[in-house]
Amino acid sequence: MDNLSYSLEIMIVGFTVVVVSLYLLYLVLIVFSRCCAKPAKPEPQKTNGTNVPPAVVAEASSAPVAAAVSQPQQSYGTAPEIVAAITAAISASMNMPANQFEIVSVQRAQSTQNGSEWAIAGRKRLMEKRQDLAMFRRERR
């Protein structure tokens, strides 16, 4: 009985040490992320001393894309304005200039009767990640 109580004390002390050390590591990660992270808010652009509304900025960022897309080399059945809007949205979310994107193909996803396109895309991504993990594990052995 004495050995059982001693082993339980050791287990509780060990568990406590592990939990406390993980919490301290978590705090260190939070401190580093706050110190080293870039500010998330971009500064507003100014034109002649006045602030530009976000709608004008979005139109200005999509203008080169709309000009490039208005003369497509191939027609995929999607209006150039829609392609320009999609490219401008991606450009704004990734903080990259719109002229760095090359539009290869814009097509609608196939509709299915047993689920939405988003659910199918999520399942496909999960299967791809599972396959990547299996390939990674095979290479390690």
Side-chain angles (χ1 to χ4, degrees):
M1 189 68 174
D2 191 34
N3 288 338
L4 180 64
S5 64
Y6 181 70
S7 61
L8 287 175
E9 288 176 10
I10 295 290
M11 182 186 74
I12 291 172
V13 169
F15 182 74
T16 305
V17 168
V18 168
V19 170
V20 168
S21 63
L22 287 176
Y23 184 71
L24 291 175
L25 286 173
Y26 174 71
L27 291 177
V28 168
L29 287 174
I30 289 176
V31 169
F32 277 128
S33 67
R34 289 187 181 171
C35 292
C36 300
K38 294 180 181 178
K41 295 182 180 180
E43 295 181 17
Q45 298 178 356
K46 292 189 176 188
T47 306
N48 299 333
T50 60
N51 287 337
V52 178
V56 175
V57 173
E59 288 178 16
S61 66
S62 66
V65 177
V69 174
S70 64
Q71 308 262 334
Q73 295 176 352
Q74 296 177 350
S75 175
Y76 294 107
T78 305
E81 295 84 15
I82 295 173
V83 175
I86 292 169
T87 308
I90 294 171
S91 170
S93 68
M94 296 179 68
N95 291 329
M96 294 175 60
N99 59 5
Q100 288 186 350
F101 294 102
E102 179 180 342
I103 302 165
V104 178
S105 171
V106 177
Q107 298 174 354
R108 289 195 184 270
Q110 304 243 345
S111 295
T112 60
Q113 295 176 351
N114 58 355
S116 70
E117 290 88 8
W118 291 103
I120 293 171
R123 286 187 201 114
K124 183 179 176 187
R125 182 166 178 163
L126 285 173
M127 287 189 291
E128 289 171 354
K129 292 295 181 183
R130 179 178 281 175
Q131 185 178 9
D132 290 345
L133 182 61
M135 294 299 291
F136 177 73
R137 288 180 178 167
R138 287 181 192 156
E139 289 175 2
R140 288 182 66 188
R141 291 182 183 171

